[in-house]
């Protein structure tokens, strides 16, 4: 039985300050670190002296063989973009490694984008559900849903890895919402080039112009670091009356307590 482990560390969207204390402590103890290219610069200090690998350069069986040899010497870390919870490419490795693997939670892009907007993504009376989806993973059969099928009044939609031209995406969303609603592009969140574009479905296409935030015209198919958020919650203000309502109906002890 090997004493070392393979840690899948939620590394956050790019800013090392968003690493949890637990992830940072574990990372310091790992000699071999697999990093998506995004992290080499911002995490340079934390990676100093470690042997680094880009996981996507290897085939699965070779990767498992390498990790197994590394585990004989020390623990291994994978920096997971954002967090393992949504759209992580590492699940097959975790399943294969079984008890040798441990997942450490982190700050997902959704959390970081919500902080940037200074908005909760559900809001009583405005938004009652949040849907996370990606047009990349919906498939392409005749009955495949479109992003418009998830869009509806009262829904905040988080769109990962968009691969649709913005005009087409906005058209689908406009049909689903049935009206103009706010849309935000959160680009390179947590990185020095961070940008937040907040507009509405009716104005976003003109606002963005020819800028390609989604690598649609890029020479490779890698998804861009842009999260799209859509829905009324992005610009609605919370009714202060809810504070007092909760105080009276939820937070106070029952009369008979
Ligand atoms: C493979 S998914 C990884 C999601 C990640 N597991 C998470 O929890 O945020 C990649 C997509 O996440 C979003 N994303 C990841 N990092 C981002 C960042 N720093 N800024 C904006 N969007 C980001 C983009 O939509 C990108 O196409």
């Amino acid at each position: 039985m090997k004493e070392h482990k393979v840690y899948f560390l939620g590394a956050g969207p790019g800013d090392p300050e968003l690493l949890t204390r637990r992830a940072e402590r574990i990372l310091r103890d790992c000699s071999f670190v697999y990093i998506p290219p995004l992290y080499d610069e911002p995490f340079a200090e934390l990676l100093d002296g470690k042997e680094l690998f880009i996981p996507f350069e290897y085939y699965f069986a070779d990767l498992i063989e390498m990790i197994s040899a590394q585990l004989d010497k020390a623990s291994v870390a994978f920096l997971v973009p954002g967090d393992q919870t949504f759209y992580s490419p590492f699940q097959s490795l975790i399943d294969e490694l079984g008890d040798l693997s441990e997942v450490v939670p982190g700050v997902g892009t959704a959390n970081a984008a919500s902080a940037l907007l200074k908005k909760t993504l559900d809001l009583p009376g405005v938004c009652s559900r949040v849907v996370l989806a990606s047009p990349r993973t919906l498939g392409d059969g005749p009955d495949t849903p479109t992003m418009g099928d998830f869009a509806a009044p009262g829904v905040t939609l988080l769109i990962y890895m968009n691969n649709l031209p913005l005009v087409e995406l906005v058209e689908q969303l406009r049909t689903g919402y049935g009206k103009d609603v706010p849309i935000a592009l959160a680009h390179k969140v947590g990185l020095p080039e961070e940008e937040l574009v907040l507009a509405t479905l009716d104005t976003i296409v003109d606002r963005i112009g020819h800028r390609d935030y989604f690598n649609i015209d890029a020479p490779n198919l890698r998804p861009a670091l842009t999260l799209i958020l859509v829905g009324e919650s992005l610009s609605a203000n919370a009714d202060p009356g809810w504070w007092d309502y909760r105080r009276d109906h939820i937070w106070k002890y029952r009369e008979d307590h």
Side-chain angles (χ1 to χ4, degrees):
M1 177 94 175
K2 295 180 177 179
E3 56 180 303
H4 301 123
K5 283 201 153 189
V6 186
Y7 295 96
F8 291 83
L9 306 175
D15 178 353
E17 292 229 319
L18 294 180
L19 205 57
T20 64
R21 292 170 65 177
R22 186 167 162 211
E24 184 178 345
R25 176 176 53 74
I26 291 171
L27 181 58
R28 289 194 190 281
D29 281 346
C30 292
S31 302
F32 306 101
V33 186
Y34 289 82
I35 60 161
L38 155 73
Y39 294 103
D40 51 2
E41 271 186 43
F43 281 60
E45 194 211 312
L46 290 165
L47 299 172
D48 191 34
K50 300 182 187 298
E51 220 173 308
L52 305 181
F53 306 86
I54 296 177
F56 312 121
E57 288 182 350
Y58 302 92
Y59 288 106
F60 189 81
D62 299 336
L63 204 46
I64 293 293
E65 207 175 299
M66 275 168 63
I67 293 170
S68 184
Q70 290 162 346
L71 279 176
D72 287 333
K73 301 181 207 147
S75 282
V76 176
F78 277 74
L79 295 187
V80 180
D83 168 78
Q84 176 63 20
T85 319
F86 300 112
Y87 298 113
S88 167
F90 300 120
Q91 191 59 49
S92 53
L93 291 171
I94 294 170
D95 292 343
E96 178 75 16
L97 291 163
D99 290 343
L100 286 173
S101 69
E102 192 171 315
V103 177
V104 176
V107 175
T109 312
N111 308 106
S114 154
L116 200 57
L117 283 158
K118 293 202 272 184
K119 291 290 181 191
T120 185
L121 300 179
D122 73 289
L123 195 61
V126 175
C127 169
S128 57
R129 46 286 174 226
V130 179
V131 175
L132 290 95
S134 170
R136 257 183 203 250
T137 59
L138 291 179
D140 51 12
D143 300 326
T144 300
T146 72
M147 296 310 293
D149 293 322
F150 305 116
V155 169
T156 301
L157 194 49
L158 267 58
I159 305 173
Y160 291 71
M161 300 175 287
N162 177 52
N163 61 356
L164 298 175
L166 191 58
V167 176
E168 194 181 321
L169 177 69
V170 164
E171 222 171 80
Q172 293 183 6
L173 297 173
R174 196 71 173 73
T175 309
Y177 281 104
K179 60 177 179 179
D180 192 22
V181 297
I183 178 168
L185 305 191
H187 181 64
K188 295 204 168 178
V189 178
L191 292 161
E193 307 94 333
E194 178 179 273
E195 269 181 75
L196 179 69
V197 182
L198 183 57
T200 73
L201 292 179
D202 286 353
T203 60
I204 189 76
V205 172
D206 283 346
R207 180 83 178 276
I208 296 303
H210 293 298
R211 173 96 188 258
D212 180 10
Y213 277 97
F214 307 111
N215 286 355
I216 287 173
D217 299 325
N220 62 59
L221 296 172
R222 293 176 197 170
L225 294 179
T226 305
L227 182 71
I228 305 176
L229 303 95
V230 200
E232 298 99 322
S233 65
L234 305 193
S235 60
N237 284 328
D239 176 359
W242 278 100
W243 185 272
D244 293 346
Y245 176 87
R246 287 194 190 93
R247 185 193 176 282
D248 285 345
H249 295 91
I250 299 171
W251 291 334
K252 76 170 188 182
Y253 285 103
R254 292 181 204 276
E255 302 281 296
D256 55 358
H257 186 75

